[in-house]
Amino acid sequence: MEEERAPRPAWGRWQRGDGGRGLPWRSTVLIAVIVMVGTGFAARNQPGRETLDVLGRALLLLGAAPLLFRHRRPVPVVFGVAAVTLGYLAAGYPYGPVFGLVGVACFAAVVHGHRTAAAWALGLLWAGHLLLSHWLYRWLPPAGDGPAPWGQELPAAAFAVAVLAASETVRVRREQRAQLRADRAAAERRRADEERLRIARELHDVLAHSISVINVQAGAGLALLDTDPEQARTALKTIKAASKEALGEVRQVLDTLRTPGDCLLYTS
């Protein structure tokens, strides 16, 4: 009999990065719309930044587009989104929901088991932002911009830590739920195996007893066939009764194994 293989845990699909499903285009479109609209509102309160023009909106869309593949290629996606976000900030465009794109990409990477990649992407984005805000601002738009206050780096760092912590929490809980389902499935398989073993033993006992009776009576019938035909007839009747009883018990045992739709042929 071919060895039965245990089903692959659900978290294995997450680690492969495909999640067992197609591209998440609905959620990606929703995220892109939220970022576009939210950035438009955020720009109203940042008069010192560049106006959100066609290029700025194109960068926002370019940052959202890779999220389509966040379940299949989480590592390239998280670095790609971080790079586009850094380019968006280097162009002097308003702060706001653009960081949500990085958060979603990092979340997907951590959930798929790529915590190091997510941490590196966030770390590189934060380091790049430090360079832009405190050194390279002299040569970058908007014109006449000064260095950013160091106090704003604390919320940025807190955001990065919060994203990593929340993502790790979700990943651990998903793995725990997947492991629990795998344990339940394994327990069900063990119970099924134990039941099959019990039935096999019961069937063995039934057949062993009946065949023993048939063998003894057949030997007696052969020995008495010429000298005592009546006793030989009795032995044959006993053989018939024992075989009929054995067939009935075998049917009962096999009925417990039969699934709906199966067709078992019995002969008597």
Side-chain angles (χ1 to χ4, degrees), residues 42-53 85-96 98-99 129 132-133 137 140-143 145-148 152:
R44 299 178 181 179
N45 300 321
Q46 301 178 53
R49 305 293 292 178
E50 290 288 316
T51 303
L52 189 62
D53 54 14
T85 302
L86 192 59
Y88 171 88
L89 297 176
Y93 291 114
Y95 294 97
V98 65
F99 293 106
H129 182 260
L132 296 176
S133 302
Y137 68 91
L140 296 173
D145 191 19
Q152 75 175 12

Side-chain angles (χ1 to χ4, degrees), residues 7-24:
R8 184 182 181 91
W11 59 267
R13 295 195 299 270
W14 283 97
Q15 285 188 329
R16 287 201 310 272
D18 55 14
R21 55 191 180 186
L23 296 178

Side-chain angles (χ1 to χ4, degrees), residues 80-140:
V81 173
V84 173
T85 302
L86 192 59
Y88 171 88
L89 297 176
Y93 291 114
Y95 294 97
V98 65
F99 293 106
L101 300 176
V102 183
V104 173
C106 287
F107 177 84
V110 173
V111 166
H112 293 316
H114 302 287
R115 296 183 296 273
T116 303
W120 269 103
L122 283 175
L124 292 175
L125 177 61
W126 186 53
H129 182 260
L130 285 176
L131 291 175
L132 296 176
S133 302
H134 301 282
W135 183 42
L136 298 178
Y137 68 91
R138 300 179 180 87
W139 302 280
L140 296 173

